[in-house]
Amino acid sequence: MNFENMNIWCWIIPLLVGLLCALFGYLLGKGKSETVVDHSAELKQCRETNAKLQADLAACTKKLSEKPVSIPQPTPSSTSNITSSFGATAEVEAAPVPIPFDAAAAKAVFGKNIKQDDLKVIEGIGPKIEGLFKGADIATWKALSETSVASCKEVLATGGERYRIHDPSSWHMQAKMCYEGKWAELAKWQDEHDHGRL
């Protein structure tokens, strides 16, 4: 009698262990398949965000690449011609006033001392690339903000093959923010664009 009871338990215990293992395996497998669905949704959202940011960058780049038409400064004799031809004196734009550099405002945003026209503030530019640009007479934020992407690539090409991998498409925009003293906007842009990388 004792032997028969023991024989039944020899069958029941492995059967229960097998059922429990099957149940846990099913639950683990189901949990893993749901995780893949969650990651694909996140990936889709990241791709949509990336596409939007690419479009924003393209719009900003296009806007910055459009150069405003400058009105030539009239000489005193041409001013009188303008007056006599049209019967009224034409208003002439004054020469642009340079924007003063505010080191304290830059330090307040970046938490470190920023020197005027330090090209290394721009994400993607290090000491070697700054040297290449200074060698090409692009030594200020204003000069870099007025330099086309194609010209930036030409400057990078002078440094050799290892500098061709850099993407200067946002450098003129970042340089313009530096020149105009828009430090908070620059820091926000660099954070939103993974520190300059798109």
Side-chain angles (χ1 to χ4, degrees), residues 1-12:
M1 188 101 170
N2 217 1
F3 180 72
E4 289 176 8
N5 285 341
M6 191 170 88
N7 195 16
I8 291 173
W9 284 110
C10 288
W11 284 94
I12 292 176

Side-chain angles (χ1 to χ4, degrees), residues 113-169:
N113 289 327
I114 304 289
K115 293 181 181 176
Q116 184 171 2
D117 294 321
D118 181 3
L119 299 182
K120 296 183 297 294
V121 173
I122 296 161
E123 287 294 337
I125 297 182
K128 301 267 185 180
I129 294 176
E130 181 182 44
L132 291 175
F133 277 88
K134 287 187 176 183
D137 291 328
I138 302 171
T140 65
W141 294 323
K142 185 171 185 343
L144 182 57
S145 72
E146 296 168 349
T147 303
S148 69
V149 175
S151 297
C152 288
K153 287 182 179 181
E154 289 175 11
V155 172
L156 288 171
T158 64
E161 192 64 33
R162 66 182 181 162
Y163 293 102
R164 292 177 196 243
I165 63 168
H166 295 280
D167 181 14
S169 59

Side-chain angles (χ1 to χ4, degrees), residues 12-124:
I12 292 176
I13 291 174
L15 184 63
L16 288 174
V17 170
L19 287 173
L20 287 174
C21 287
L23 180 64
F24 286 132
Y26 171 76
L27 292 174
L28 286 174
K30 185 177 179 184
K32 286 185 180 179
S33 67
E34 288 175 1
T35 304
V36 172
V37 172
D38 288 342
H39 286 302
S40 64
E42 290 174 9
L43 181 61
K44 182 180 177 184
Q45 183 181 8
C46 288
R47 285 183 177 150
E48 289 172 358
T49 304
N50 187 23
K52 182 182 177 205
L53 292 174
Q54 288 282 357
D56 289 347
L57 178 63
C60 289
T61 303
K62 181 180 178 185
K63 188 175 181 181
L64 287 174
S65 66
E66 296 172 355
K67 292 188 177 181
V69 178
S70 60
I71 300 173
Q73 296 289 335
T75 60
S77 61
S78 65
T79 302
S80 61
N81 290 342
I82 293 172
T83 304
S84 62
S85 300
F86 297 107
T89 306
E91 292 187 27
V92 179
E93 266 185 42
V97 178
I99 300 171
F101 172 65
D102 187 355
K107 183 176 182 177
V109 172
F110 285 96
K112 62 181 181 179
N113 289 327
I114 304 289
K115 293 181 181 176
Q116 184 171 2
D117 294 321
D118 181 3
L119 299 182
K120 296 183 297 294
V121 173
I122 296 161
E123 287 294 337

